[in-house]
Amino acid sequence: MNDDTPLLEAQDIHTYYGASHILHGINLRVKRGETISLMGRNGMGKTTTLRSLVGLTAPRQGKVLVKNEDVTGKAPYRIAKSGIAYVPEDRAIFPTLTVRENLVMAARPGPDGRSDWDLDRVLNLFPRLRERITNMGNQLSGGEQQMLTVGRALMTNPDLILLDEATEGLAPLIRRAIWSVIRKIKEAGIAAIVVDKDIKALMEIADLNLIIVKGMIVYEGSSQDLKSRPDVHQQHLGV
């Protein structure tokens, strides 16, 4: 793949839930190694955007491209095999499998054959999971479950990871640990789209920030630019 080819691109995607038109022409591009934040108030379409990109809620109009291949409407497992990992808001771990089993069942080389992320590396990243390696998923705290979900995604050796509210509802100490891991993911060269309510933390890590309002991207810019635009914060991000 040419380095200039986006890992993932959404072209004018429109997504519906039944008769409800949720996304109205979303366009975005993620380059190799790039971290993008997707910001916006609740109910504006952030989760639907991520679900559309990975095929869980297929767009009715527009295209999703992974490395220039049209994957619109393809099964989520096909899109995942092309190097896209998804960490959903509800975590979706397997409650009756152990920590080890949850991780190992997801293990596979990346699309280019890389196996940089194995069980040992993930457990080094999350020492708490090593301590809980034989515990069942339903015996973990919310923070530990979130660590497990992120670790499971890394076990697929992805080129791009989508993180939906990875710190939502967690204690401050756990939130800091998750943000530290997100920074390490960035340092490892994995691209990411991150959805979170912590605007300050997003701006510290993102190369590009997108703001979505009622299913449309209304702002795109660097963290430096966004920090200098209190009007944008007040209009689109304030509670």
Side-chain angles (χ1 to χ4, degrees):
M1 185 183 72
N2 188 301
D3 284 344
D4 295 331
T5 302
L7 279 176
L8 181 144
E9 185 171 8
Q11 296 179 350
D12 191 35
I13 60 173
H14 292 253
T15 301
Y16 294 71
Y17 289 126
S20 299
H21 192 174
I22 307 300
L23 300 184
H24 300 262
I26 294 290
N27 292 283
L28 61 83
R29 292 161 58 97
V30 188
K31 296 181 286 191
R32 186 171 290 277
E34 184 177 36
T35 300
I36 291 178
S37 81
L38 186 59
M39 304 179 183
R41 295 187 178 99
N42 287 343
M44 292 297 173
K46 302 186 299 295
T47 293
T48 303
T49 298
L50 298 187
R51 288 178 59 86
S52 298
L53 296 176
V54 297
L56 289 168
T57 309
R60 287 195 199 169
Q61 181 182 325
K63 288 183 179 180
V64 177
L65 306 176
V66 175
K67 303 168 192 169
N68 268 352
E69 179 190 350
D70 188 351
V71 299
T72 316
K74 287 193 175 179
Y77 80 89
R78 294 280 303 277
I79 296 174
K81 280 188 170 181
S82 65
I84 313 300
Y86 177 46
V87 176
E89 189 175 9
D90 63 2
R91 298 171 189 146
I93 62 163
F94 293 97
T96 57
L97 296 183
T98 65
V99 167
R100 179 189 295 276
E101 289 166 343
N102 264 279
L103 292 172
V104 170
M105 58 78 61
R108 65 170 180 264
D112 57 359
R114 282 181 303 103
S115 294
D116 299 341
W117 291 92
D118 56 15
L119 181 62
D120 203 47
R121 186 174 181 185
V122 167
L123 294 177
N124 285 340
L125 190 62
F126 294 107
R128 183 61 179 155
L129 292 184
R130 191 183 291 279
E131 295 170 10
R132 306 280 271 166
I133 192 74
T134 59
N135 285 85
M136 296 295 178
N138 58 10
Q139 295 175 317
L140 304 180
S141 69
E144 290 164 347
Q145 288 185 11
Q146 189 63 69
M147 293 174 185
L148 181 56
T149 311
V150 175
R152 183 179 61 187
L154 289 171
M155 291 287 288
T156 69
N157 285 279
D159 296 314
L160 169 65
I161 188 167
L162 312 183
L163 293 151
D164 193 3
E165 300 283 9
T167 70
E168 177 72 9
L170 302 181
L173 190 64
I174 302 296
R175 282 205 304 269
R176 286 197 293 275
I178 295 293
W179 280 114
S180 174
V181 166
I182 294 172
R183 284 192 292 273
K184 288 175 182 174
I185 289 170
K186 180 183 176 77
E187 289 164 7
I190 300 172
I193 301 178
V194 187
V195 171
D196 203 272
K197 291 184 176 65
D198 190 336
I199 304 303
K200 183 173 181 290
L202 285 174
M203 289 193 295
E204 286 175 359
I205 198 168
D207 302 301
L208 182 69
N209 301 283
L210 308 177
I211 297 176
I212 186 170
V213 175
K214 295 181 180 177
M216 293 181 284
I217 291 176
V218 299
Y219 172 87
E220 178 177 326
S222 67
S223 294
Q224 184 177 358
D225 181 69
L226 185 54
K227 285 174 185 175
S228 70
R229 296 287 304 276
D231 57 314
V232 173
H233 286 254
Q234 185 172 2
Q235 183 176 0
H236 300 307
L237 301 174
V239 177

